[in-house]
Amino acid sequence: MQKGSGYAKLFIAATLMLAGGPSLGLEIDGRIGTDEWQAAKHITEFRKVQPLNGQPGSLATEAWLLATPEGLAVAVRNTQPPSVPRTLQRVQRDFEDQVDRVNVMVDFDGDGRTGYVFRISCTGAIYDGIVTNETSFNKDWDGNWRHAVLQDESTWTVEILIPWHIAPMREAKGGSRNLKFYVDRVVGSTGERVAWPLASFERSKFLSDFAPVEVANYSQSLFAFTPYTSGLYDNVRGGSDFDAGFDVFWKPNGQTQLTATVNPDFGQVESDDLVVNFDATETFVSDKRPFFTENQGLFEYTTPSDFSQLLYTRRIGAPADDGEGSGDITAALKLNGSLGQAKYGIFAADEAEEVGRSFGALRLVRDFSRQNLGLMATFVDRPWLDRQATVIGIDHDWRPSTRWSVRTRVFGSDVEQGGETSSDLGATVWADYEMDRGWRQQVIAMHFGNELQVNDAGYLSRNSTNYLHWQVNRRFTDLPKESRYASKDWRWRASTNHNNHGELLNHQFRMSRESRLRDGSYEYAQINVNSAGLDDLLTRGNGVLRVPPNFNSYFEYDRPRKGRWGFHTEAELFGDGLEGNRKLGYSVLVEPIFFASDALNVSVGFFGKRSPDWLVWQRDNLIGAFDGREFNLDASINWLPGNRHELRVKLQAIAINARVKQAYRVAPDGDAIESTDAVDDFNVRTLGFQIRYRYELGPLSYLYVVYGRGGFEQENAAYSSGRLLRDSFNLRDDEQLLVKLSYRFEN
């Protein structure tokens, strides 16, 4: 970037966003004054963690850490001359775009249980979230913290102030607090990441590798009251609806925190991605509702099974047990705190009327020097179904050395329904071993009983599982300078999976490579080779189906913004159904992103999939084999004229066309027997369209104006996929205009 381009004139001024009043003796304005930070811990030993070779960074970075009565203050100075371009695009809150940014992470109790993530880009956009289970990030939590950015031609600087009331913390002894701290800086144009300390989420241990830091002990109290009001007009059914409610946040001291909500409004100010699911397993959807994301990290109890957890808050307010609409949440409460070295959490939520459910959860954890131990219990009362479900689990995380990390979970369910009781157990072990010269090993074992049921309050994709895998990794970071790659991470995995009746589901060999390129791009490639086995879920309990051996391969490439364009693509080739590898399916996703300016971008994604032997359950033990085709259109316009304003237009359309090839009955021995039963062609169309304007009135206070339209239709006929995709734009099951205002008052 050349001098005189307007860069210096445009960005010499501070990008400043303040939350709350001024800090005593420390002004959060992006200007790192010598006098302000003279008592701070000065950090200069930044080392490369992407690529993970521990070498000094190519650009100078330094940071300061200081405990003040108002909060934990952090400053970072990033040297970046004009010869290294900056990614100056504006991004939304909780962004994941490849831009120049700083990440600050704090484990306030220093026990490796929960870390809080505070990210700020060089243009002043922020991201906040939590990290649990060493490397599991969740960006759904939003906090109130102060931050500012200042840029000139050769550097950009960040100042952050994190209030002590932002999270519950154990009581500190004496005048000091022992916490763990991590800070890194990412260069958007190259993807290089430098950090202090030398910790990486590409290793099995990350959170527990944060640097221990002793700071002065301070405590803050806070009372926050957030009322909301909303109005909705339904343009399809006619009529209007108005609602109101409030959230309460109270932290009387450093150790205790109470969050409550009364008549919460969960109108569609956020739009979930459209999903059409014909599988026997449920689709997992993350929770973005403020009450359920506020300091939820303590209630994390997960297993290696994908997305599994004992408390899945999307169950609350989910479709009602009578199948008529969604549950109406009257109130919910969450209490987090600590007693000595132990932490506790209490959670309760209640839905209205006779179809409503009652939810409760208890969480206890205790940290030791190299391990921590926890207990989790959930209870759900479902009177409409005459059902009560209790789940209790114990979790143990052990760090016997710097190389080893072992996570163990044992849990059981007890369900009473209609006078009958069923109970069962589950257990998992996850062990990682870090070796020399980039080698690592991993072993995962899982057992879920046939009658294990956690989905009243939690999420588990399936029970009846006995799974074991062994994985070897090798990371390459010292690649030749002329290589287009900065690092490559190879993984080889062998696994076996049986259900709890002793039947083989499959053996699998997996090989994958994750690569980061010197221009900031990302690549991932994977191939799975699967043995013959059984599908015991397809018929929903009406028999198991023998399936032949098959393979699937996947490739993903993501190139961040270069000039006015960014690019994302995915491709897959797979064997499927009863044909196995005799007839291969494929899918392709292409998504270019055009940056009209730093504040405005447009993306259009096209997805196409062909499944030549797609098996779809019909009824009892009857299945149909279809030639399936799917086309998706996913487009968006994002305009951020300022840090308080955001306008988003999002369109998703899905068209699925399935022509029947053959009907089959599943025999008792698992064979698929051709059948003359009538099975129809079918098609599915679905549409989701939203225009959303959001204005930030103040910290965690927003005005939303949202227009949404959508629909779903399924027919027993097959048409061209192009026609179906075009016809999806005519769907209009719902058309609504929503206005919502919420404002947070603090004291």
Side-chain angles (χ1 to χ4, degrees), residues 445-744:
M446 296 188 290
H447 163 74
F448 302 144
N450 292 326
E451 300 299 324
L452 180 67
Q453 301 178 63
V454 305
N455 285 357
D456 293 271
Y459 178 91
L460 187 67
S461 59
R462 63 162 295 148
N463 54 14
S464 189
T465 300
N466 292 281
Y467 174 87
L468 176 67
H469 91 221
W470 174 54
Q471 178 173 293
V472 178
N473 299 38
R474 175 71 193 277
R475 183 186 301 113
F476 297 88
T477 56
D478 296 323
L479 300 175
K481 291 184 178 180
E482 60 271 16
S483 172
R484 63 193 292 259
Y485 294 96
S487 67
K488 298 179 182 179
D489 195 338
W490 286 88
R491 301 170 187 144
W492 301 269
R493 175 191 295 180
S495 66
T496 184
N497 192 7
H498 294 71
N499 64 23
N500 217 37
H501 300 288
E503 298 167 325
L504 173 67
L505 302 181
N506 76 338
H507 301 304
Q508 183 185 87
F509 173 75
R510 171 180 295 181
M511 181 172 64
S512 65
R513 190 187 77 179
E514 184 177 37
S515 306
R516 300 186 185 276
L517 285 70
R518 297 190 189 277
D519 66 353
S521 299
Y522 172 85
E523 281 184 3
Y524 181 80
Q526 174 180 293
I527 183 167
N528 294 327
V529 179
N530 304 299
S531 72
L534 297 173
D535 186 335
D536 61 350
L537 296 180
L538 178 64
T539 64
R540 280 66 165 176
N542 293 287
V544 296
L545 174 68
R546 295 185 189 276
V547 292
N550 62 73
F551 86 99
N552 60 78
S553 58
Y554 171 82
F555 176 78
E556 176 183 357
Y557 174 75
D558 187 77
R559 195 198 74 169
R561 177 184 178 183
K562 303 292 180 183
R564 291 194 177 274
W565 290 93
F567 190 76
H568 177 79
T569 185
E570 300 176 25
E572 186 177 12
L573 185 67
F574 56 90
D576 200 14
L578 298 173
E579 295 285 353
N581 296 325
R582 293 191 297 269
K583 290 186 178 180
L584 298 180
Y586 55 87
S587 68
V588 177
L589 167 68
V590 179
E591 184 178 18
I593 306 173
F594 175 69
F595 294 87
S597 69
D598 290 331
L600 176 65
N601 64 77
V602 180
S603 69
V604 181
F606 298 95
F607 173 81
K609 183 177 181 180
R610 170 82 185 278
S611 301
D613 198 50
W614 181 26
L615 301 181
V616 180
W617 177 64
Q618 304 298 304
R619 60 184 183 275
D620 48 69
N621 69 338
L622 179 66
I623 59 175
F626 294 85
D627 183 359
R629 300 168 189 258
E630 177 179 348
F631 286 92
N632 297 0
L633 173 64
D634 191 342
S636 67
I637 301 173
N638 297 291
W639 183 39
L640 292 92
N643 286 322
R644 291 180 179 270
H645 300 268
E646 176 189 301
L647 178 65
R648 183 183 70 187
V649 181
K650 184 176 181 180
L651 168 69
Q652 284 186 287
I654 300 176
I656 297 175
N657 193 38
R659 297 183 184 275
V660 67
K661 296 166 53 183
Q662 179 63 54
Y664 295 94
R665 289 283 179 175
V666 178
D669 63 358
D671 288 338
I673 308 299
E674 292 187 3
S675 170
T676 58
D677 290 271
V679 174
D680 296 323
D681 300 339
F682 71 92
N683 69 78
V684 172
R685 295 174 291 152
T686 184
L687 173 73
F689 177 70
Q690 185 188 78
I691 303 174
R692 189 190 77 168
Y693 171 74
R694 183 177 76 173
Y695 177 69
E696 184 177 358
L697 301 163
L700 304 181
S701 304
Y702 302 100
L703 169 67
Y704 288 95
V705 181
V706 183
Y707 168 81
R709 174 179 164 181
F712 177 91
E713 186 171 69
Q714 180 171 344
E715 298 175 313
N716 290 333
Y719 304 115
S720 72
S721 300
R723 170 189 168 181
L724 292 172
L725 192 62
R726 291 192 302 271
D727 289 349
S728 68
F729 297 118
N730 298 322
L731 295 173
R732 191 169 166 265
D733 297 343
D734 295 289
E735 185 177 24
Q736 300 174 341
L737 178 66
L738 171 71
V739 178
K740 178 182 176 181
L741 175 66
S742 65
Y743 197 88
R744 181 178 171 107

Side-chain angles (χ1 to χ4, degrees), residues 280-291:
T281 55
E282 175 187 7
T283 301
F284 177 87
V285 182
S286 66
D287 203 334
K288 299 179 177 64
R289 301 174 293 182
F291 170 81

Side-chain angles (χ1 to χ4, degrees), residues 323-428:
E324 301 292 331
S326 298
D328 182 14
I329 306 172
T330 55
L333 178 145
K334 181 163 42 180
L335 177 66
N336 297 50
S338 62
L339 295 171
Q341 296 299 307
K343 298 180 184 178
Y344 65 87
I346 300 171
F347 178 96
D350 190 64
E351 297 174 345
E353 301 177 349
E354 65 273 10
V355 299
R357 297 154 292 203
S358 297
F359 298 83
L362 171 68
R363 184 68 160 134
L364 299 172
V365 297
R366 173 68 161 85
D367 181 58
F368 302 92
S369 60
R370 292 191 175 184
Q371 56 190 315
N372 50 50
L373 185 66
L375 174 112
M376 180 82 168
T378 65
F379 174 78
V380 183
D381 184 19
R382 309 176 71 171
W384 182 264
L385 301 179
D386 189 20
R387 178 182 175 95
Q388 292 184 330
T390 302
V391 177
I392 298 177
I394 297 174
D395 57 315
H396 179 233
D397 296 340
W398 183 34
R399 303 175 294 274
S401 69
T402 57
R403 295 180 180 269
W404 276 101
S405 174
V406 182
R407 285 168 273 184
T408 306
R409 308 286 186 264
V410 179
F411 53 101
S413 64
D414 186 85
V415 177
E416 182 178 343
Q417 183 169 7
E420 297 184 359
T421 301
S422 65
S423 59
D424 216 326
L425 295 173
T428 67

